[in-house]
Amino acid sequence: MKVGIVGAGMVGSSAGFALVMRGVASEVVLVDHNPALALAQAEDIAHAMPFAQPTQVSSGDYEALAEADLIIIAAGVPQKPGESRLSLLGRNAEVFGDVLAQTGKVAPDAILLIASNPVDIMTEVALKLSGLPAARVFGSGTILDTARFRYLLGRHLNVAAQSVHAYVLGEHGDSEVLAWSSARSGCETLDDVADQLGRPISEAVRHEIDQNVRRAAYKIIEGKGATWYGIGAGLARIVQAIRDDQRAVLTVSARVPEIEGVRDVTLSLPRVVGRDGVAETLIPHLSYSEATALRASAEMLRETAAELA
Ligand SMILES: NC(=O)C1=CN([C@@H]2O[C@H](COP(=O)(O)OP(=O)(O)OC[C@H]3O[C@@H](n4cnc5c(N)ncnc54)[C@H](O)[C@@H]3O)[C@@H](O)[C@H]2O)C=CC1
Ligand SMILES: CC(=O)C(=O)O
């Protein structure tokens, strides 16, 4: 599978590195409006090859993306400390005008996987600019928030994060919804597992996990300026689901005709992801408070997208 990455900064290069280490692509091409950066990242990643999976890694201009099966878009500005993802919208929408015009010329049929923030709205922008079917234009959405949730629950319960099944829905951002009511490990509900393992999930524990998921980006950006490893791994996981037609259930951001009474909105729900992108959306059964929060998240995203139109 040939994977293009537009935006060879921290997120784009980490995705490239994760693709190579995971052996998910036969070819990875990095493109950036700073070609020297793209070249340097490609060379650095390629030097991991003896310890990785055979992959051709290069950089180039947009022409080098011809025949790409999938393009990850991680171009644009990241948040500064304290800044919300939504505040990036104007600047990154402008960048997408440029990027999508170029990718549309050289690889009009490639699946587009959006990472730039605010990712739900940027996915909506990419969908409009590309003219591609909704199944082939989607965002990483809450794949990272879901990973954070599973990691923190696993750490609290002292079980592997891989054995925790829990999802974050809605916006990849402040209004996201942690679906506590459907979280499971083994055959058990979270509360049953927690009781059996002697690690109860009190209100204080719940609040701490919620904040450590919802505020993770703010905290990491305070410490090191940006986040990149988690999302790099998440993007490679999505690409793998597509390459192997896995029909994996992943929380990615895509258009849904209606959710919690809000129509035509782009946000994260559990989705079946395979060769052609998003094959199905699984509508979750939520508690009353989760459903209310998801409606609020969807309404906010719908209004923000409408303002941009
Ligand atoms: N979806 C998610 O879960 C996450 C998303 N992000 C987002 O990813 C985006 C990138 O973040 P970083 O890699 O940390 O930023 P960065 O500043 O390290 O990299 C962005 C790159 O985009 C390039 N660029 C800007 N305009 C361009 C254009 N018109 N054409 C081609 N390249 C262009 C820049 O030269 C730069 O190399 C940000 O919007 C950030 O908020 C970051 C972390 C997680
Ligand atoms: C920056 C960002 O979106 C994140 O780490 O969640």
Side-chain angles (χ1 to χ4, degrees), residues 53-307:
Q53 307 299 324
T55 314
Q56 273 184 46
V57 183
S58 61
S59 70
D61 55 18
Y62 281 96
E63 302 300 322
L65 298 180
E67 289 171 19
D69 300 292
L70 180 146
I71 299 175
I72 295 172
I73 303 184
V77 285
Q79 296 152 261
K80 296 198 181 72
E83 213 180 2
S84 79
R85 295 173 182 85
L86 284 170
S87 71
L88 306 173
L89 179 52
R91 285 167 281 171
N92 284 348
E94 217 168 286
V95 168
F96 267 40
D98 173 32
V99 170
L100 271 292
Q102 302 287 346
T103 56
K105 275 188 225 154
V106 293
D109 299 322
I111 289 178
L112 300 179
L113 173 53
I114 311 304
S116 307
N117 274 320
V119 70
D120 306 290
I121 311 286
M122 297 315 302
T123 302
E124 183 90 20
V125 170
L127 184 62
K128 284 204 183 111
L129 291 176
S130 68
L132 286 166
R136 298 180 72 79
V137 183
F138 57 101
S140 54
T142 54
I143 192 141
L144 176 55
D145 317 76
T146 289
R148 288 169 174 154
F149 191 24
R150 293 172 70 199
Y151 162 71
L152 291 168
L153 283 173
R155 194 175 68 174
H156 175 77
L157 297 169
N158 198 24
V159 301
Q162 286 80 352
S163 300
V164 176
H165 307 290
Y167 298 91
V168 178
L169 312 175
E171 183 201 7
H172 169 57
D174 301 348
S175 73
E176 67 194 24
V177 181
L178 281 68
W180 287 92
S181 65
S182 56
R184 296 279 185 282
S185 187
C187 296
E188 307 302 312
T189 65
L190 206 54
D191 284 337
D192 285 344
V193 180
D195 282 349
Q196 283 191 40
L197 298 177
R199 292 170 182 268
I201 300 184
S202 62
E203 270 313 305
V205 168
R206 219 173 249 257
H207 178 73
E208 194 185 333
I209 291 177
D210 178 285
Q211 288 302 295
N212 283 335
V213 173
R214 199 180 300 280
R215 304 291 303 171
Y218 292 100
K219 188 172 165 203
I220 296 170
I221 290 168
E222 279 295 334
K224 65 175 206 171
T227 67
W228 54 83
Y229 294 123
I231 186 58
L235 289 164
R237 175 68 188 92
I238 297 168
V239 175
Q240 185 176 34
I242 295 167
R243 187 200 63 179
D244 296 341
D245 196 20
Q246 285 181 341
R247 298 183 66 81
V249 175
L250 302 170
T251 49
V252 294
S253 185
R255 239 325 160 98
V256 65
E258 190 270 333
I259 186 76
E260 297 300 340
V262 183
R263 301 191 67 80
D264 296 326
V265 61
T266 298
L267 45 56
S268 284
L269 293 169
R271 300 255 165 42
V272 178
V273 179
R275 181 184 296 121
D276 295 319
V278 172
E280 308 285 350
T281 295
L282 304 177
I283 304 296
H285 291 287
L286 298 171
S287 69
Y288 178 76
S289 62
E290 290 164 355
T292 305
L294 185 58
R295 182 164 61 247
S297 187
E299 278 169 350
M300 183 281 292
L301 286 170
R302 186 74 199 91
E303 279 162 26
T304 309
E307 278 164 26

